Amino acid sequence: MLATCLYLLFLFAPIALLVMGSLGESWTNSLLPSGLTGRWYAELAADPSFQRAFLTSLKVVAATCILDMLIAVPLAYALHSTARRGVQAAARVVTLLPIATPELVLGFGFILVFSSDALPFIGSIWLLIAAHVVVTLPYLLNILLSDMTQLKLGDLERVAATLGAPFMSRFFDIVLPLVRHSLFAGLITVSAISIGEFQISNLIAGFLTRTYPITLLQAFYGATGFACAATVVLLVLAVTASAAGALTARAARTG
């Protein structure tokens, strides 16, 4: 019980301090801020650099989710349908490499490849989206593969095939409806990861394509209350996405 309480204190104390700092008038050389104000949030909403970064993050998240869905669904289905276990195992190892590889290494790799004269894409939003797809795709892919295995899609497809259902009918009438909950939950997980992604984005983003976390780091060189308010906004977005994903996954299990 004591260990649990200490863990919760360690987890929530920094968050509570951030919230208090975002509402405090001044916080200098003291444990807690003094005063009460909401002007930091007003300044944050009016700041053009944060407005641009917020919109950029939304564009990157939306494009990442769409591309992840278009890639992960057919790829997960192909991996699940293959009869060779060796192929499945090798494919899973390959797809998990972006998770196992430090993002700093991936970022330097992107710089080496896409800062050349042949591929001058460093700083473009499309390269930023591609990097987010590389980072987030394994999560969605493995969620779909686990759900397909649990639902025993192979057995359902074989039954449909014996009744004369063609491949496209089986895919759109059986596979997609059954994995829709896990797909939605996976996309929310992808959104939460993409919103908070910093390392690769910081290395390859241009001045006009900086995401919210990059601009957030720069805020800490200014007023503490402003930086706390910006951090709380990012935290709310990430927690909302994570909670929505958890609720969707729960609905999928009980529904």
Side-chain angles (χ1 to χ4, degrees):
M1 183 65 180
L2 178 60
T4 303
C5 292
L6 290 175
Y7 170 75
L8 293 176
L9 179 63
F10 179 78
L11 178 65
F12 289 108
I15 298 176
L17 288 174
L18 282 172
V19 174
M20 287 188 288
S22 70
L23 297 173
E25 181 68 35
S26 176
W27 195 0
T28 305
N29 298 327
S30 60
L31 180 61
L32 297 175
S34 59
L36 182 65
T37 182
R39 71 184 180 95
W40 303 120
Y41 288 99
E43 290 185 10
L44 178 65
D47 190 290
S49 62
F50 273 87
Q51 291 176 0
R52 183 172 58 248
F54 188 78
L55 290 176
T56 299
S57 286
L58 290 183
K59 292 177 184 177
V60 171
V61 169
T64 300
C65 286
I66 293 173
L67 290 174
D68 274 3
M69 179 178 61
L70 294 176
I71 297 171
V73 173
L75 182 56
Y77 178 74
L79 292 176
H80 176 76
S81 300
T82 182
R84 298 182 179 180
R85 293 186 177 274
V87 174
Q88 289 183 346
R92 286 214 175 196
V93 170
V94 172
T95 56
L96 288 174
L97 281 177
I99 297 177
T101 305
E103 291 189 14
L104 192 62
V105 175
L106 292 174
F108 283 133
F110 271 84
I111 291 175
L112 290 174
V113 175
F114 295 105
S115 61
S116 62
D117 293 335
L119 299 170
F121 298 131
I122 286 292
S124 69
I125 192 171
W126 296 110
L127 184 61
L128 193 60
I129 293 169
H132 280 232
V133 169
V134 170
V135 172
T136 59
L137 182 62
Y139 295 94
L140 179 59
L141 182 62
N142 282 277
I143 289 173
L144 290 173
L145 282 171
S146 299
D147 200 33
M148 288 178 179
T149 302
Q150 183 180 2
L151 292 171
K152 298 181 179 179
L153 283 181
D155 295 338
L156 296 174
E157 280 197 280
R158 281 190 289 271
V159 172
T162 59
L163 297 175
F167 169 76
M168 296 302 293
S169 296
R170 299 197 305 269
F171 184 79
F172 286 102
D173 296 336
I174 297 177
V175 176
L176 289 184
L178 287 176
V179 301
R180 67 186 186 279
H181 290 296
S182 59
L183 176 61
F184 184 64
L187 289 176
I188 294 177
T189 302
V190 167
S191 300
I193 296 172
S194 181
I195 287 171
E197 203 290 317
F198 171 78
Q199 292 190 56
I200 292 183
S201 301
N202 190 43
L203 289 172
I204 67 175
F207 178 76
L208 296 178
T209 58
R210 291 181 298 179
T211 58
Y212 193 88
I214 300 174
T215 310
L216 172 61
L217 176 64
Q218 298 172 355
F220 278 93
Y221 294 102
T224 303
F226 184 88
C228 288
T231 306
V232 169
V233 170
L234 180 63
L235 181 64
V236 169
L237 290 174
V239 170
T240 301
S242 300
L247 292 174
T248 303
R250 181 180 178 183
R253 290 193 297 267
T254 58

